[in-house]
DNA sequence: AAATTAAGCTTAATCGTTTAAGCCATCAAG
DNA sequence: CTTGATGGCTTAAACGATTAAGCTTAATTT
């Protein structure tokens, strides 16, 4: 890779100091009173030599990289993939570049990911925090590293966040099922202390309680590293025996998909034997023989807001922003 | 953000020059004969002050950022999302970080994306090139920028690439359909000059010809920015009239999904009225009432190989590598 | 005519690391 | 007692861009 042209090259060709070139390149020729002729020559040389500023040098000097670090659970998960896309576009619009990493919901991995990104001097972070990373986040917060959490947050740590109104979402979903006449409603969620899960479960419970169905509450919590077998076990448990349910709410996209595989296996009739509500959109929901009712998240808004808030923060704002966005319940055949 | 600790801080605390600290931090205490006591003190101070090297400064000095630029069509597309994930993991293993961007199959966007990444001094690129970017790629190649193309490549530009044996994949798929007794087989592909599309189409044509079905060949090419309506039109055309087909091959994941929506709309019986073969895996294929036969791509291998080849290139290898990987045909009900 | 202001430029430090080159002991060998 | 290693350290330049401060010369003001 032959050396790229630098400010110095232009300076030499035009016969001036690098300072002047820098001023012109950065559009400060007025304030710094650079001569008209010289400005022209510098511009011409820059074009001719195809000058592109070295962002690394610039970053070192300016102390800002115009880069944001994005940490999600798994970029291959469509929910996070879509979010990443929105964030990418929005960041680009504002002149920022995105570096990403997947934590796999693992606190250790998230820690080293964050370290790497800090060493690369990202200007700020958008993070989907893994379980047990409250301390990590707190430390970042104390170091005044600009930071926005999304999808989830920690009650004990005061940070910016942009999340779904998870309680409202599941409350609404359960209310809809009840309205349709279902009473024996179960739920499959992750075993997790993360707030989004707690809130989704709370929405379910309160909706049940408020409709005098408190004693019908049946929640199965599965391990996120054994989704396949755990969901299978949970489904068998819930759909058999005395207290067999006739409707179910899944707490995430992945859980819904896993649940659908079980439904196939157990050849349950949807919605006759079991009504279903899923989480997030997914093409698979459309092609399931009984198209799924699901809770749609405003991914686009979420990503955009996250970037907006983060950049405000990077630009020095110190106010803490909490944003809860509303879902949309897409009603279809699986909950008729 | 209070200033982070630098080499200088450690040097001052221990009472030595920054050079020594740098040597120790980089594990060169042997070659550079640093005193045992001093090494200990420096190590202790580094830990105590929680020293983390500033990668920006390091990059500037070393002329290498340990960063790779990944340009895909759209990170929100599961195929590319999965690939990104594999690349991320593999790159991390080798000490590299990934910066990504989505081109939307748009040559202009790809150009500016590449420019941005070059200015950020990425050490090399993994690119899924958009149509009409052969010149861009050629220029990069001439500038000796380490580079691996994937998913597609250009016949006219000699670069490294890691792709699917697209011809073999569709040839195999069509052969399977013919074996199953289907003769009136159509195909829906993108209108594109990109090699992967050409090869997929060529595989279809040759398989048809080699089975004396040359006069049954029916290809519909749709615009990638109007997938919805174009596929609908193509499907109506192919599945009606005199020469109505009884089997179809889709050239990509997105096309398959679009096609399935049409199948729902036209309420075609699969596979009785129409056998289907899709491209790439997708959960939706599993839940379609007649689970889809599809061409599975070795995404993991593809991503891993791309990273491997790129890093070889970054490390100075000048040999050009061409890798074609084999698909797996997952046979299921939709082509029985 | 002296003093001030403005225009147009250069110098040099700086960001945090890396690394070639050199300095100064100490010690062994001749 | 000189020479040459060897060990253990420092100096300072370099990477490429930014920017405060200062230096000329010419023009304007008093």
């Amino acid at each position: 890779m032959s050396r790229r042209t630098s400010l110095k090259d232009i300076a030499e060709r035009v016969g001036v100091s690098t300072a002047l070139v820098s001023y012109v390149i950065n559009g400060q020729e007025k304030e710094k009173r650079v001569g008209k002729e010289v400005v022209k020559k510098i511009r011409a040389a820059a074009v001719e030599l195809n000058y592109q500023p070295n962002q690394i040098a610039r970053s070192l000097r300016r102390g800002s990289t115009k880069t944001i670090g994005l940490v999600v659970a798994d970029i291959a998960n469509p929910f996070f993939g879509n979010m990443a896309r929105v964030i990418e576009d929005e960041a680009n619009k504002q002149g920022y570049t995105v570096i990403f990493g997947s934590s796999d919901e693992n606190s250790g991995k998230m820690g080293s990911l964050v370290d790497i990104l800090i060493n690369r001097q990202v200007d700020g972070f958008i993070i989907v925090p893994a379980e047990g990373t409250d301390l990590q986040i707190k430390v970042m917060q104390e170091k005044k590293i600009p930071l926005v959490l999304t999808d989830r947050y920690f009650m004990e740590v005061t940070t910016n966040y942009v999340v779904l109104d998870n309680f409202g979402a599941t409350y609404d979903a359960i209310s809809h099922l009840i309205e349709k006449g279902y009473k024996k409603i179960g739920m499959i969620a992750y075993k997790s202390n993360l707030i989004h899960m707690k809130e989704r479960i709370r929405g379910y419970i309160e909706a049940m309680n408020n409709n005098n169905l408190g004693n019908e509450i049946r929640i199965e919590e599965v391990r996120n590293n054994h989704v396949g077998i755990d969901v299978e076990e949970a489904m068998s448990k819930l759909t058999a025996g005395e207290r067999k349910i006739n409707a179910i709410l899944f707490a995430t996209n992945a859980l819904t998909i896993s649940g659908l595989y079980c439904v196939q296996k157990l050849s349950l009739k949807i919605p006759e034997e079991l009504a279903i509500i899923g989480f997030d959109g997914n093409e698979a929901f459309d092609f399931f023989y009984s198209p799924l009712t699901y809770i749609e998240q405003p991914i686009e808004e979420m990503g955009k807001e996250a970037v907006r808030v983060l950049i405000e923060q990077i630009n020095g704002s110190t106010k803490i922003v909490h944003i809860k966005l509303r879902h949309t319940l897409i009603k279809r055949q699986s909950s008729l």
Side-chain angles (χ1 to χ4, degrees), chain A:
Chain A
M1 227 191 303
S2 59
R3 210 178 51 76
R4 302 180 48 206
T5 88
S6 70
L7 277 191
K8 212 173 166 188
D9 299 327
I10 300 185
E12 274 167 9
R13 147 140 357 186
V14 178
V16 296
S17 70
T18 61
L20 275 202
V21 181
S22 174
Y23 293 143
V24 172
I25 296 292
N26 290 295
Q28 302 186 282
E29 61 267 15
K30 284 275 173 326
E31 306 90 297
K32 304 292 177 174
R33 333 170 274 213
V34 182
K36 281 195 165 190
E37 278 307 304
V38 174
V39 170
K40 263 190 200 162
K41 280 195 206 163
I42 291 178
R43 288 247 170 75
V47 170
E48 196 182 342
L49 298 177
N50 184 31
Y51 173 71
Q52 300 289 129
N54 180 326
Q55 293 294 343
I56 296 291
R58 186 175 265 182
S59 296
L60 178 59
R61 176 60 224 240
R62 287 192 177 158
S64 121
T65 54
K66 286 278 178 183
T67 299
I68 80 183
L70 171 64
V71 178
V72 298
D74 180 7
I75 194 80
N77 175 323
F79 174 68
F80 296 119
N82 277 297
M83 193 148 125
R85 182 56 206 273
V86 175
I87 290 173
E88 179 201 340
D89 286 349
E90 204 59 21
N92 286 170
K93 261 188 220 154
Q94 317 251 7
Y96 282 78
T97 303
V98 178
I99 304 187
F100 76 96
S102 307
S103 75
D104 280 325
E105 301 282 9
N106 173 341
S107 63
K109 223 170 165 185
M110 178 173 138
S112 51
L113 220 45
V114 167
D115 281 347
I116 290 174
L117 295 176
I118 288 182
N119 294 350
R120 305 227 165 211
Q121 311 290 120
V122 300
D123 293 339
F125 285 87
I126 294 178
I127 301 185
V128 176
E131 191 168 1
T133 56
D134 26 359
L135 239 118
Q136 282 178 45
I137 297 293
K138 198 175 170 199
V139 169
M140 292 176 76
Q141 190 78 0
E142 279 161 1
K143 288 189 186 161
K144 307 234 186 285
I145 298 175
L147 164 64
V148 178
L149 300 186
T150 185
D151 195 42
R152 18 201 138 132
Y153 63 98
F154 298 107
M155 299 249 279
E156 320 79 39
V157 190
T158 307
T159 59
N160 299 288
Y161 60 74
V162 179
V163 299
L164 183 71
D165 172 5
N166 286 292
F167 172 82
T170 51
Y171 191 99
D172 188 24
I174 297 297
S175 303
H176 167 249
L177 283 173
I178 294 172
E179 222 169 75
K180 290 288 177 182
Y182 299 96
K183 299 201 149 110
K184 296 160 164 296
I185 309 172
M187 177 173 191
I188 293 186
Y190 281 122
K191 184 166 204 59
S192 163
N193 284 314
L194 286 166
I195 191 101
H196 69 310
M197 218 27 81
K198 293 286 176 206
E199 284 290 286
R200 288 176 194 181
I201 292 172
R202 194 169 66 85
Y204 161 75
I205 292 176
E206 282 218 21
M208 292 294 275
N209 280 334
N210 289 351
N211 287 277
N212 298 318
L213 293 171
N215 45 3
E216 298 290 351
I217 289 177
R218 298 197 60 191
I219 303 175
E220 290 291 330
E221 302 189 15
V222 306
R223 295 167 296 176
N224 68 54
N225 45 352
H226 295 83
V227 175
I229 49 171
D230 281 11
V231 168
E232 200 167 331
E233 202 185 313
M235 285 292 282
S236 323
K237 211 188 277 180
L238 290 173
T239 59
E242 280 283 287
R243 300 180 54 212
K244 150 166 100 179
I245 60 174
N246 61 4
I248 189 164
L249 169 63
F250 292 99
T252 74
N253 199 319
L255 289 175
T256 314
I257 296 287
S258 265
L260 291 184
Y261 281 115
C262 295
V263 167
Q264 267 188 345
K265 220 175 201 173
L266 302 171
S267 35
L268 295 167
K269 288 204 176 59
I270 313 297
E272 296 80 4
E273 293 180 302
L274 186 71
I276 300 183
I277 296 188
F279 220 104
D280 295 342
N282 186 317
E283 279 144 358
F285 297 178
D286 299 345
F287 294 116
F288 190 71
Y289 74 89
S290 175
L292 248 57
T293 293
Y294 63 91
I295 295 167
E296 186 184 67
Q297 298 202 53
I299 298 186
E300 182 148 348
E301 211 183 338
M302 217 151 128
K304 281 190 179 171
E305 286 293 289
V307 173
R308 191 181 60 70
V309 172
L310 179 61
I311 291 184
E312 270 178 30
Q313 216 73 14
I314 291 175
N315 292 337
S317 163
T318 56
K319 71 163 178 269
I320 301 284
V321 181
H322 291 173
I323 297 181
K324 282 200 179 172
L325 301 172
R326 295 288 301 171
H327 70 289
T328 310
L329 188 63
I330 307 290
K331 299 170 185 168
R332 300 197 297 183
Q333 205 185 322
S334 76
S335 64
L336 270 195

